[in-house]
């Protein structure tokens, strides 16, 4: 069982991470948009580079979306009193794991 101070710190970390991800998500939308000119006015290598950068930006957005979802679930578990309890085995998730990755839904053994 973690102390109240640690619980508060983790709740603050989760909220700050959610806010940060939402800001990053908005900024990342621009990079995931299709390249402006694929009509042959740029060279083949530049076009390939643009497409590769677009795919990398899309993957970063997918990663942000997943992490945001996990953080929102963690925030909901704080509210319902199940935060820090492994969703698989029901055991306590180590505080050190939660401090490193506050969205962790599983203990180290189950992860």
């Amino acid at each position: 069982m973690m102390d109240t101070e640690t619980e508060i710190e983790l709740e603050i970390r989760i909220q700050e991470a959610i806010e940060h991800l939402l800001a990053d998500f908005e900024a990342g939308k621009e990079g995931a948009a299709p390249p402006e000119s694929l009509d042959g006015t740029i060279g083949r290598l530049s076009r390939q580079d643009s497409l590769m950068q677009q795919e990398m930006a899309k993957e970063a957005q997918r990663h942000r979306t997943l992490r945001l979802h996990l953080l929102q679930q963690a925030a909901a578990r704080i509210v319902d009193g199940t935060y820090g309890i492994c969703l698989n085995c029901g055991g306590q998730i180590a505080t050190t794991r939660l401090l490193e990755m506050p969205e962790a839904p599983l203990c180290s053994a189950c992860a």
Side-chain angles (χ1 to χ4, degrees), residues 4-65:
T4 306
E5 188 174 309
T6 304
E7 287 178 10
I8 292 169
E9 179 184 349
L10 285 166
E11 188 171 0
I12 290 169
R13 283 186 184 198
I14 288 170
Q15 291 306 317
E16 287 175 347
I18 288 172
E19 291 170 14
H20 183 73
L21 278 172
L22 288 172
D24 283 354
F25 192 79
E26 287 302 312
K29 282 183 181 178
E30 192 174 302
E36 288 188 25
S37 177
L38 292 180
D39 61 2
T41 58
I42 60 175
R44 183 176 56 86
L45 293 177
S46 295
R47 192 168 35 254
Q48 287 176 338
D49 185 52
S50 293
L51 290 171
M52 185 177 69
Q53 287 179 6
Q54 178 191 13
E55 285 304 311
M56 289 173 28
K58 283 181 182 179
E59 183 58 32
Q61 286 293 78
R62 283 189 285 273
H63 180 20
R64 283 185 201 102
T65 300

Side-chain angles (χ1 to χ4, degrees), residues 60-103:
Q61 286 293 78
R62 283 189 285 273
H63 180 20
R64 283 185 201 102
T65 300
L66 175 62
R67 183 153 190 249
L68 180 61
H69 182 70
L70 290 171
L71 285 162
Q72 289 170 333
Q73 287 179 333
R77 287 193 305 276
I78 288 173
V79 171
D80 70 20
T82 60
Y83 181 72
I85 298 172
C86 178
L87 296 180
N88 189 43
C89 71
Q92 191 71 31
I93 300 172
T95 302
T96 54
R97 178 168 171 76
L98 292 172
L99 287 169
E100 186 66 32
M101 193 170 77
E103 69 273 19

